[in-house]
Amino acid sequence: MQHLTDIQLVKRTLQRRGDASLAFAKLYGRYQAKIAAYIAAKVSYNSSLVDDVLQDTFMTAWHKLEQLKEHDKFFPWVVTIARNTAMDVLREKKRVDDISHLLNQEEPEAEEALDLGATEKMLVNLDPVDREIVVMKAVLECSFEEISAQLGLALSASKMRYYRALDKIKAEVSL
């Protein structure tokens, strides 16, 4: 199963018998690190949220794999699931924080943040959309066309925001 393509792994997983779970585990292993890095940038490097969103993302992918029309598009499809799942989790977290604040209960527990390296600290300072674009380009290795489609931006806007974000990061490095 080492050298199977995404298409072959998706087809084996869809059979839901025999080595289906092994095939999906191979897909998970192939993309888990990239998806986790993408999610981390989306949730401001909150490690507990990263783990939850990653697990939810791949559980959703497992349960909805039949909906994937083009089997060679597994990775972009999982990125979309990760993005939507992260947004749902962030919305729910904000709702809970707002309710806690309104009810004058104790402050919500402090977020468990990752020990950020220099790169992550620079990324955290970017606008969330710019951060997402940089991570999609640098970590997920998406093309500008894919980024534009995922984020609903014009191609020129994606490029402009990416290069401006890089300029901002370079300026921070120069300090």
Side-chain angles (χ1 to χ4, degrees):
M1 224 182 274
Q2 292 288 20
H3 304 291
L4 296 179
T5 65
D6 285 1
I7 295 170
Q8 293 167 320
L9 291 170
V10 167
K11 285 181 180 178
R12 284 187 180 201
T13 303
L14 286 171
Q15 291 173 354
R16 301 291 188 201
R17 57 183 159 74
D19 62 356
S21 59
L22 289 175
F24 191 78
K26 182 70 178 164
L27 287 167
Y28 174 84
R30 190 173 285 174
Y31 296 117
Q32 169 265 332
K34 285 185 175 185
I35 297 295
Y38 173 74
I39 292 167
K42 287 293 289 173
V43 299
S44 300
Y45 300 94
N46 179 324
S47 61
S48 63
L49 289 182
V50 172
D51 294 340
D52 291 346
V53 173
L54 184 65
Q55 182 178 0
D56 290 350
T57 296
F58 279 96
M59 288 301 296
T60 300
W62 169 261
H63 291 293
K64 295 187 176 186
L65 192 59
E66 303 81 35
Q67 296 176 10
L68 177 61
K69 302 290 184 233
E70 299 175 53
H71 296 168
D72 61 330
K73 304 284 188 207
F74 179 80
F75 180 65
W77 181 69
V78 172
V79 170
T80 301
I81 293 171
R83 182 173 196 269
N84 293 338
T85 303
M87 296 302 293
D88 290 345
V89 167
L90 289 173
R91 273 192 293 273
E92 181 61 28
K93 183 178 178 338
K94 182 177 178 353
R95 214 179 344 242
V96 168
D97 289 350
D98 288 349
I99 290 171
S100 295
H101 180 62
L102 287 174
L103 296 175
N104 291 325
Q105 293 179 347
E106 292 181 23
E107 290 295 314
E109 288 185 25
E111 294 180 358
E112 178 186 339
L114 293 174
D115 180 23
L116 300 181
T119 304
E120 287 84 3
K121 286 179 183 173
M122 286 183 251
L123 288 173
V124 167
N125 292 331
L126 293 175
D127 171 83
V129 175
D130 293 346
R131 179 174 57 234
E132 185 169 6
I133 291 170
V134 169
V135 170
M136 289 180 80
K137 184 71 175 155
V139 177
L140 301 182
E141 300 170 350
C142 295
S143 68
F144 283 115
E145 290 80 7
E146 292 169 325
I147 293 169
S148 297
Q150 285 277 340
L151 302 180
L153 297 171
L155 181 61
S156 59
S158 295
K159 289 179 180 180
M160 178 194 67
R161 292 184 79 144
Y162 174 74
Y163 290 113
R164 284 187 181 167
L166 288 184
D167 288 343
K168 185 175 181 182
I169 291 170
K170 287 176 190 174
E172 284 186 35
V173 169
S174 299
L175 295 177

PDB file of all heavy atoms in Angstrom, residues 92-124:
ATOM      1  N   GLU A  92     -18.129  28.569  17.648  1.00  0.00           N
ATOM      2  CA  GLU A  92     -18.686  27.991  18.875  1.00  0.00           C
ATOM      3  C   GLU A  92     -17.908  28.473  20.098  1.00  0.00           C
ATOM      4  O   GLU A  92     -18.497  28.816  21.121  1.00  0.00           O
ATOM      5  CB  GLU A  92     -18.661  26.458  18.807  1.00  0.00           C
ATOM      6  CG  GLU A  92     -19.241  25.784  20.017  1.00  0.00           C
ATOM      7  CD  GLU A  92     -20.705  26.103  20.265  1.00  0.00           C
ATOM      8  OE1 GLU A  92     -21.437  26.392  19.308  1.00  0.00           O
ATOM      9  OE2 GLU A  92     -21.119  26.066  21.451  1.00  0.00           O
ATOM     10  N   LYS A  93     -16.596  28.523  19.996  1.00  0.00           N
ATOM     11  CA  LYS A  93     -15.762  28.997  21.094  1.00  0.00           C
ATOM     12  C   LYS A  93     -16.093  30.450  21.427  1.00  0.00           C
ATOM     13  O   LYS A  93     -16.218  30.815  22.587  1.00  0.00           O
ATOM     14  CB  LYS A  93     -14.286  28.854  20.746  1.00  0.00           C
ATOM     15  CG  LYS A  93     -13.365  29.254  21.867  1.00  0.00           C
ATOM     16  CD  LYS A  93     -11.920  29.058  21.482  1.00  0.00           C
ATOM     17  CE  LYS A  93     -10.940  29.474  22.540  1.00  0.00           C
ATOM     18  NZ  LYS A  93     -11.346  30.403  23.524  1.00  0.00           N
ATOM     19  N   LYS A  94     -16.262  31.262  20.412  1.00  0.00           N
ATOM     20  CA  LYS A  94     -16.609  32.669  20.639  1.00  0.00           C
ATOM     21  C   LYS A  94     -17.977  32.781  21.305  1.00  0.00           C
ATOM     22  O   LYS A  94     -18.157  33.557  22.226  1.00  0.00           O
ATOM     23  CB  LYS A  94     -16.610  33.452  19.320  1.00  0.00           C
ATOM     24  CG  LYS A  94     -16.926  34.928  19.524  1.00  0.00           C
ATOM     25  CD  LYS A  94     -16.860  35.686  18.239  1.00  0.00           C
ATOM     26  CE  LYS A  94     -17.207  37.135  18.327  1.00  0.00           C
ATOM     27  NZ  LYS A  94     -17.712  37.692  19.517  1.00  0.00           N
ATOM     28  N   ARG A  95     -18.916  31.965  20.869  1.00  0.00           N
ATOM     29  CA  ARG A  95     -20.253  31.971  21.459  1.00  0.00           C
ATOM     30  C   ARG A  95     -20.186  31.602  22.938  1.00  0.00           C
ATOM     31  O   ARG A  95     -20.792  32.248  23.787  1.00  0.00           O
ATOM     32  CB  ARG A  95     -21.140  30.986  20.697  1.00  0.00           C
ATOM     33  CG  ARG A  95     -22.566  31.399  20.576  1.00  0.00           C
ATOM     34  CD  ARG A  95     -23.415  30.402  19.788  1.00  0.00           C
ATOM     35  NE  ARG A  95     -22.678  29.441  19.004  1.00  0.00           N
ATOM     36  CZ  ARG A  95     -22.740  29.332  17.685  1.00  0.00           C
ATOM     37  NH1 ARG A  95     -23.501  30.118  16.994  1.00  0.00           N
ATOM     38  NH2 ARG A  95     -22.048  28.415  17.050  1.00  0.00           N
ATOM     39  N   VAL A  96     -19.427  30.573  23.267  1.00  0.00           N
ATOM     40  CA  VAL A  96     -19.280  30.145  24.664  1.00  0.00           C
ATOM     41  C   VAL A  96     -18.600  31.241  25.485  1.00  0.00           C
ATOM     42  O   VAL A  96     -19.029  31.558  26.596  1.00  0.00           O
ATOM     43  CB  VAL A  96     -18.492  28.818  24.747  1.00  0.00           C
ATOM     44  CG1 VAL A  96     -18.078  28.504  26.176  1.00  0.00           C
ATOM     45  CG2 VAL A  96     -19.318  27.681  24.172  1.00  0.00           C
ATOM     46  N   ASP A  97     -17.541  31.838  24.941  1.00  0.00           N
ATOM     47  CA  ASP A  97     -16.844  32.922  25.643  1.00  0.00           C
ATOM     48  C   ASP A  97     -17.773  34.110  25.870  1.00  0.00           C
ATOM     49  O   ASP A  97     -17.776  34.710  26.950  1.00  0.00           O
ATOM     50  CB  ASP A  97     -15.610  33.375  24.857  1.00  0.00           C
ATOM     51  CG  ASP A  97     -14.491  32.336  24.881  1.00  0.00           C
ATOM     52  OD1 ASP A  97     -14.602  31.360  25.654  1.00  0.00           O
ATOM     53  OD2 ASP A  97     -13.529  32.509  24.111  1.00  0.00           O
ATOM     54  N   ASP A  98     -18.582  34.449  24.870  1.00  0.00           N
ATOM     55  CA  ASP A  98     -19.519  35.571  25.002  1.00  0.00           C
ATOM     56  C   ASP A  98     -20.576  35.287  26.067  1.00  0.00           C
ATOM     57  O   ASP A  98     -20.901  36.153  26.879  1.00  0.00           O
ATOM     58  CB  ASP A  98     -20.208  35.863  23.663  1.00  0.00           C
ATOM     59  CG  ASP A  98     -19.281  36.495  22.642  1.00  0.00           C
ATOM     60  OD1 ASP A  98     -18.157  36.915  23.019  1.00  0.00           O
ATOM     61  OD2 ASP A  98     -19.667  36.559  21.459  1.00  0.00           O
ATOM     62  N   ILE A  99     -21.102  34.076  26.073  1.00  0.00           N
ATOM     63  CA  ILE A  99     -22.122  33.708  27.056  1.00  0.00           C
ATOM     64  C   ILE A  99     -21.520  33.735  28.460  1.00  0.00           C
ATOM     65  O   ILE A  99     -22.127  34.256  29.397  1.00  0.00           O
ATOM     66  CB  ILE A  99     -22.736  32.330  26.730  1.00  0.00           C
ATOM     67  CG1 ILE A  99     -23.594  32.439  25.470  1.00  0.00           C
ATOM     68  CG2 ILE A  99     -23.541  31.798  27.899  1.00  0.00           C
ATOM     69  CD1 ILE A  99     -24.069  31.116  24.926  1.00  0.00           C
ATOM     70  N   SER A 100     -20.305  33.201  28.613  1.00  0.00           N
ATOM     71  CA  SER A 100     -19.642  33.205  29.921  1.00  0.00           C
ATOM     72  C   SER A 100     -19.450  34.625  30.420  1.00  0.00           C
ATOM     73  O   SER A 100     -19.675  34.917  31.596  1.00  0.00           O
ATOM     74  CB  SER A 100     -18.281  32.510  29.836  1.00  0.00           C
ATOM     75  OG  SER A 100     -18.447  31.164  29.531  1.00  0.00           O
ATOM     76  N   HIS A 101     -19.050  35.481  29.534  1.00  0.00           N
ATOM     77  CA  HIS A 101     -18.827  36.876  29.907  1.00  0.00           C
ATOM     78  C   HIS A 101     -20.150  37.548  30.300  1.00  0.00           C
ATOM     79  O   HIS A 101     -20.221  38.273  31.295  1.00  0.00           O
ATOM     80  CB  HIS A 101     -18.167  37.625  28.755  1.00  0.00           C
ATOM     81  CG  HIS A 101     -17.901  39.066  29.049  1.00  0.00           C
ATOM     82  ND1 HIS A 101     -17.060  39.468  30.072  1.00  0.00           N
ATOM     83  CD2 HIS A 101     -18.373  40.194  28.476  1.00  0.00           C
ATOM     84  CE1 HIS A 101     -17.024  40.781  30.109  1.00  0.00           C
ATOM     85  NE2 HIS A 101     -17.810  41.248  29.149  1.00  0.00           N
ATOM     86  N   LEU A 102     -21.206  37.293  29.535  1.00  0.00           N
ATOM     87  CA  LEU A 102     -22.509  37.897  29.828  1.00  0.00           C
ATOM     88  C   LEU A 102     -23.074  37.435  31.162  1.00  0.00           C
ATOM     89  O   LEU A 102     -23.740  38.179  31.859  1.00  0.00           O
ATOM     90  CB  LEU A 102     -23.508  37.573  28.718  1.00  0.00           C
ATOM     91  CG  LEU A 102     -23.306  38.308  27.404  1.00  0.00           C
ATOM     92  CD1 LEU A 102     -24.270  37.768  26.353  1.00  0.00           C
ATOM     93  CD2 LEU A 102     -23.505  39.806  27.585  1.00  0.00           C
ATOM     94  N   LEU A 103     -22.805  36.190  31.495  1.00  0.00           N
ATOM     95  CA  LEU A 103     -23.334  35.647  32.746  1.00  0.00           C
ATOM     96  C   LEU A 103     -22.436  35.960  33.939  1.00  0.00           C
ATOM     97  O   LEU A 103     -22.705  35.515  35.046  1.00  0.00           O
ATOM     98  CB  LEU A 103     -23.517  34.130  32.615  1.00  0.00           C
ATOM     99  CG  LEU A 103     -24.541  33.676  31.581  1.00  0.00           C
ATOM    100  CD1 LEU A 103     -24.537  32.158  31.464  1.00  0.00           C
ATOM    101  CD2 LEU A 103     -25.925  34.190  31.914  1.00  0.00           C
ATOM    102  N   ASN A 104     -21.366  36.720  33.697  1.00  0.00           N
ATOM    103  CA  ASN A 104     -20.418  37.108  34.742  1.00  0.00           C
ATOM    104  C   ASN A 104     -19.862  35.910  35.494  1.00  0.00           C
ATOM    105  O   ASN A 104     -19.635  35.967  36.696  1.00  0.00           O
ATOM    106  CB  ASN A 104     -21.057  38.088  35.733  1.00  0.00           C
ATOM    107  CG  ASN A 104     -21.321  39.424  35.109  1.00  0.00           C
ATOM    108  OD1 ASN A 104     -20.548  39.879  34.259  1.00  0.00           O
ATOM    109  ND2 ASN A 104     -22.403  40.061  35.509  1.00  0.00           N
ATOM    110  N   GLN A 105     -19.696  34.843  34.767  1.00  0.00           N
ATOM    111  CA  GLN A 105     -19.067  33.686  35.381  1.00  0.00           C
ATOM    112  C   GLN A 105     -17.572  33.918  35.384  1.00  0.00           C
ATOM    113  O   GLN A 105     -17.077  34.915  34.899  1.00  0.00           O
ATOM    114  CB  GLN A 105     -19.393  32.430  34.578  1.00  0.00           C
ATOM    115  CG  GLN A 105     -20.863  32.073  34.653  1.00  0.00           C
ATOM    116  CD  GLN A 105     -21.152  30.837  33.829  1.00  0.00           C
ATOM    117  OE1 GLN A 105     -20.347  30.398  33.041  1.00  0.00           O
ATOM    118  NE2 GLN A 105     -22.337  30.279  34.034  1.00  0.00           N
ATOM    119  N   GLU A 106     -16.885  32.940  35.929  1.00  0.00           N
ATOM    120  CA  GLU A 106     -15.433  33.036  35.926  1.00  0.00           C
ATOM    121  C   GLU A 106     -14.948  33.189  34.495  1.00  0.00           C
ATOM    122  O   GLU A 106     -15.605  32.767  33.558  1.00  0.00           O
ATOM    123  CB  GLU A 106     -14.820  31.767  36.523  1.00  0.00           C
ATOM    124  CG  GLU A 106     -15.076  31.600  37.991  1.00  0.00           C
ATOM    125  CD  GLU A 106     -14.421  30.340  38.517  1.00  0.00           C
ATOM    126  OE1 GLU A 106     -13.454  29.856  37.896  1.00  0.00           O
ATOM    127  OE2 GLU A 106     -14.901  29.853  39.539  1.00  0.00           O
ATOM    128  N   GLU A 107     -13.787  33.791  34.384  1.00  0.00           N
ATOM    129  CA  GLU A 107     -13.195  33.954  33.065  1.00  0.00           C
ATOM    130  C   GLU A 107     -13.015  32.577  32.440  1.00  0.00           C
ATOM    131  O   GLU A 107     -12.708  31.615  33.124  1.00  0.00           O
ATOM    132  CB  GLU A 107     -11.830  34.642  33.175  1.00  0.00           C
ATOM    133  CG  GLU A 107     -11.930  36.097  33.581  1.00  0.00           C
ATOM    134  CD  GLU A 107     -12.627  36.945  32.551  1.00  0.00           C
ATOM    135  OE1 GLU A 107     -12.316  36.825  31.360  1.00  0.00           O
ATOM    136  OE2 GLU A 107     -13.513  37.729  32.935  1.00  0.00           O
ATOM    137  N   PRO A 108     -13.204  32.488  31.126  1.00  0.00           N
ATOM    138  CA  PRO A 108     -12.949  31.201  30.484  1.00  0.00           C
ATOM    139  C   PRO A 108     -11.495  30.798  30.699  1.00  0.00           C
ATOM    140  O   PRO A 108     -10.627  31.645  30.848  1.00  0.00           O
ATOM    141  CB  PRO A 108     -13.207  31.465  28.999  1.00  0.00           C
ATOM    142  CG  PRO A 108     -13.801  32.824  28.905  1.00  0.00           C
ATOM    143  CD  PRO A 108     -13.611  33.515  30.215  1.00  0.00           C
ATOM    144  N   GLU A 109     -11.276  29.496  30.727  1.00  0.00           N
ATOM    145  CA  GLU A 109      -9.908  29.013  30.936  1.00  0.00           C
ATOM    146  C   GLU A 109      -8.989  29.583  29.881  1.00  0.00           C
ATOM    147  O   GLU A 109      -9.384  29.771  28.730  1.00  0.00           O
ATOM    148  CB  GLU A 109      -9.873  27.484  30.842  1.00  0.00           C
ATOM    149  CG  GLU A 109     -10.502  26.797  32.022  1.00  0.00           C
ATOM    150  CD  GLU A 109     -10.331  25.289  31.922  1.00  0.00           C
ATOM    151  OE1 GLU A 109      -9.378  24.832  31.265  1.00  0.00           O
ATOM    152  OE2 GLU A 109     -11.171  24.598  32.501  1.00  0.00           O
ATOM    153  N   ALA A 110      -7.788  29.874  30.297  1.00  0.00           N
ATOM    154  CA  ALA A 110      -6.809  30.383  29.344  1.00  0.00           C
ATOM    155  C   ALA A 110      -6.545  29.315  28.297  1.00  0.00           C
ATOM    156  O   ALA A 110      -6.502  28.126  28.596  1.00  0.00           O
ATOM    157  CB  ALA A 110      -5.517  30.740  30.064  1.00  0.00           C
ATOM    158  N   GLU A 111      -6.408  29.765  27.063  1.00  0.00           N
ATOM    159  CA  GLU A 111      -6.155  28.829  25.985  1.00  0.00           C
ATOM    160  C   GLU A 111      -4.789  28.201  26.172  1.00  0.00           C
ATOM    161  O   GLU A 111      -3.839  28.855  26.560  1.00  0.00           O
ATOM    162  CB  GLU A 111      -6.185  29.552  24.641  1.00  0.00           C
ATOM    163  CG  GLU A 111      -7.543  30.094  24.284  1.00  0.00           C
ATOM    164  CD  GLU A 111      -7.520  30.807  22.943  1.00  0.00           C
ATOM    165  OE1 GLU A 111      -6.449  30.900  22.320  1.00  0.00           O
ATOM    166  OE2 GLU A 111      -8.580  31.267  22.529  1.00  0.00           O
ATOM    167  N   GLU A 112      -4.732  26.929  25.881  1.00  0.00           N
ATOM    168  CA  GLU A 112      -3.457  26.235  25.928  1.00  0.00           C
ATOM    169  C   GLU A 112      -2.755  26.535  24.609  1.00  0.00           C
ATOM    170  O   GLU A 112      -3.133  26.035  23.558  1.00  0.00           O
ATOM    171  CB  GLU A 112      -3.699  24.735  26.069  1.00  0.00           C
ATOM    172  CG  GLU A 112      -2.436  23.919  26.082  1.00  0.00           C
ATOM    173  CD  GLU A 112      -2.727  22.430  26.072  1.00  0.00           C
ATOM    174  OE1 GLU A 112      -3.832  22.028  26.448  1.00  0.00           O
ATOM    175  OE2 GLU A 112      -1.827  21.695  25.671  1.00  0.00           O
ATOM    176  N   ALA A 113      -1.780  27.403  24.645  1.00  0.00           N
ATOM    177  CA  ALA A 113      -1.095  27.805  23.426  1.00  0.00           C
ATOM    178  C   ALA A 113       0.172  26.982  23.236  1.00  0.00           C
ATOM    179  O   ALA A 113       0.795  26.552  24.194  1.00  0.00           O
ATOM    180  CB  ALA A 113      -0.742  29.286  23.490  1.00  0.00           C
ATOM    181  N   LEU A 114       0.497  26.767  21.991  1.00  0.00           N
ATOM    182  CA  LEU A 114       1.736  26.077  21.680  1.00  0.00           C
ATOM    183  C   LEU A 114       2.917  26.989  21.972  1.00  0.00           C
ATOM    184  O   LEU A 114       2.789  28.205  21.986  1.00  0.00           O
ATOM    185  CB  LEU A 114       1.777  25.725  20.187  1.00  0.00           C
ATOM    186  CG  LEU A 114       0.781  24.711  19.683  1.00  0.00           C
ATOM    187  CD1 LEU A 114       0.878  24.602  18.168  1.00  0.00           C
ATOM    188  CD2 LEU A 114       1.038  23.350  20.290  1.00  0.00           C
ATOM    189  N   ASP A 115       4.066  26.407  22.207  1.00  0.00           N
ATOM    190  CA  ASP A 115       5.281  27.190  22.335  1.00  0.00           C
ATOM    191  C   ASP A 115       5.640  27.628  20.924  1.00  0.00           C
ATOM    192  O   ASP A 115       6.105  26.836  20.113  1.00  0.00           O
ATOM    193  CB  ASP A 115       6.394  26.326  22.939  1.00  0.00           C
ATOM    194  CG  ASP A 115       7.688  27.109  23.097  1.00  0.00           C
ATOM    195  OD1 ASP A 115       7.630  28.355  23.160  1.00  0.00           O
ATOM    196  OD2 ASP A 115       8.748  26.471  23.146  1.00  0.00           O
ATOM    197  N   LEU A 116       5.359  28.881  20.633  1.00  0.00           N
ATOM    198  CA  LEU A 116       5.530  29.363  19.277  1.00  0.00           C
ATOM    199  C   LEU A 116       6.989  29.634  18.955  1.00  0.00           C
ATOM    200  O   LEU A 116       7.703  30.268  19.708  1.00  0.00           O
ATOM    201  CB  LEU A 116       4.726  30.660  19.071  1.00  0.00           C
ATOM    202  CG  LEU A 116       3.217  30.563  19.272  1.00  0.00           C
ATOM    203  CD1 LEU A 116       2.589  31.912  19.019  1.00  0.00           C
ATOM    204  CD2 LEU A 116       2.614  29.526  18.361  1.00  0.00           C
ATOM    205  N   GLY A 117       7.389  29.149  17.806  1.00  0.00           N
ATOM    206  CA  GLY A 117       8.706  29.472  17.296  1.00  0.00           C
ATOM    207  C   GLY A 117       8.657  30.832  16.626  1.00  0.00           C
ATOM    208  O   GLY A 117       7.607  31.472  16.537  1.00  0.00           O
ATOM    209  N   ALA A 118       9.772  31.269  16.139  1.00  0.00           N
ATOM    210  CA  ALA A 118       9.870  32.589  15.506  1.00  0.00           C
ATOM    211  C   ALA A 118       8.925  32.705  14.311  1.00  0.00           C
ATOM    212  O   ALA A 118       8.258  33.732  14.144  1.00  0.00           O
ATOM    213  CB  ALA A 118      11.305  32.853  15.079  1.00  0.00           C
ATOM    214  N   THR A 119       8.844  31.667  13.502  1.00  0.00           N
ATOM    215  CA  THR A 119       7.987  31.714  12.319  1.00  0.00           C
ATOM    216  C   THR A 119       6.529  31.866  12.708  1.00  0.00           C
ATOM    217  O   THR A 119       5.812  32.707  12.157  1.00  0.00           O
ATOM    218  CB  THR A 119       8.176  30.438  11.473  1.00  0.00           C
ATOM    219  OG1 THR A 119       9.553  30.303  11.147  1.00  0.00           O
ATOM    220  CG2 THR A 119       7.350  30.505  10.209  1.00  0.00           C
ATOM    221  N   GLU A 120       6.092  31.060  13.671  1.00  0.00           N
ATOM    222  CA  GLU A 120       4.695  31.128  14.086  1.00  0.00           C
ATOM    223  C   GLU A 120       4.366  32.483  14.711  1.00  0.00           C
ATOM    224  O   GLU A 120       3.281  33.014  14.520  1.00  0.00           O
ATOM    225  CB  GLU A 120       4.362  29.999  15.056  1.00  0.00           C
ATOM    226  CG  GLU A 120       4.268  28.632  14.411  1.00  0.00           C
ATOM    227  CD  GLU A 120       5.618  27.946  14.268  1.00  0.00           C
ATOM    228  OE1 GLU A 120       6.633  28.502  14.730  1.00  0.00           O
ATOM    229  OE2 GLU A 120       5.660  26.859  13.672  1.00  0.00           O
ATOM    230  N   LYS A 121       5.315  33.059  15.455  1.00  0.00           N
ATOM    231  CA  LYS A 121       5.080  34.371  16.055  1.00  0.00           C
ATOM    232  C   LYS A 121       4.870  35.422  14.980  1.00  0.00           C
ATOM    233  O   LYS A 121       4.028  36.301  15.123  1.00  0.00           O
ATOM    234  CB  LYS A 121       6.239  34.764  16.976  1.00  0.00           C
ATOM    235  CG  LYS A 121       6.233  33.994  18.278  1.00  0.00           C
ATOM    236  CD  LYS A 121       7.395  34.362  19.166  1.00  0.00           C
ATOM    237  CE  LYS A 121       7.377  33.505  20.431  1.00  0.00           C
ATOM    238  NZ  LYS A 121       8.553  33.699  21.260  1.00  0.00           N
ATOM    239  N   MET A 122       5.627  35.320  13.895  1.00  0.00           N
ATOM    240  CA  MET A 122       5.447  36.262  12.790  1.00  0.00           C
ATOM    241  C   MET A 122       4.101  36.045  12.106  1.00  0.00           C
ATOM    242  O   MET A 122       3.428  37.001  11.739  1.00  0.00           O
ATOM    243  CB  MET A 122       6.580  36.119  11.777  1.00  0.00           C
ATOM    244  CG  MET A 122       7.888  36.698  12.253  1.00  0.00           C
ATOM    245  SD  MET A 122       9.133  36.564  10.987  1.00  0.00           S
ATOM    246  CE  MET A 122      10.162  35.304  11.723  1.00  0.00           C
ATOM    247  N   LEU A 123       3.706  34.781  11.959  1.00  0.00           N
ATOM    248  CA  LEU A 123       2.430  34.482  11.319  1.00  0.00           C
ATOM    249  C   LEU A 123       1.249  34.964  12.159  1.00  0.00           C
ATOM    250  O   LEU A 123       0.255  35.443  11.618  1.00  0.00           O
ATOM    251  CB  LEU A 123       2.301  32.979  11.045  1.00  0.00           C
ATOM    252  CG  LEU A 123       3.175  32.428   9.934  1.00  0.00           C
ATOM    253  CD1 LEU A 123       3.070  30.907   9.887  1.00  0.00           C
ATOM    254  CD2 LEU A 123       2.815  33.026   8.592  1.00  0.00           C
ATOM    255  N   VAL A 124       1.353  34.827  13.473  1.00  0.00           N
ATOM    256  CA  VAL A 124       0.264  35.251  14.354  1.00  0.00           C
ATOM    257  C   VAL A 124       0.005  36.753  14.200  1.00  0.00           C
ATOM    258  O   VAL A 124      -1.132  37.209  14.321  1.00  0.00           O
ATOM    259  CB  VAL A 124       0.578  34.886  15.822  1.00  0.00           C
ATOM    260  CG1 VAL A 124      -0.366  35.573  16.779  1.00  0.00           C
ATOM    261  CG2 VAL A 124       0.483  33.384  16.013  1.00  0.00           C
TER     262      VAL A 124
END
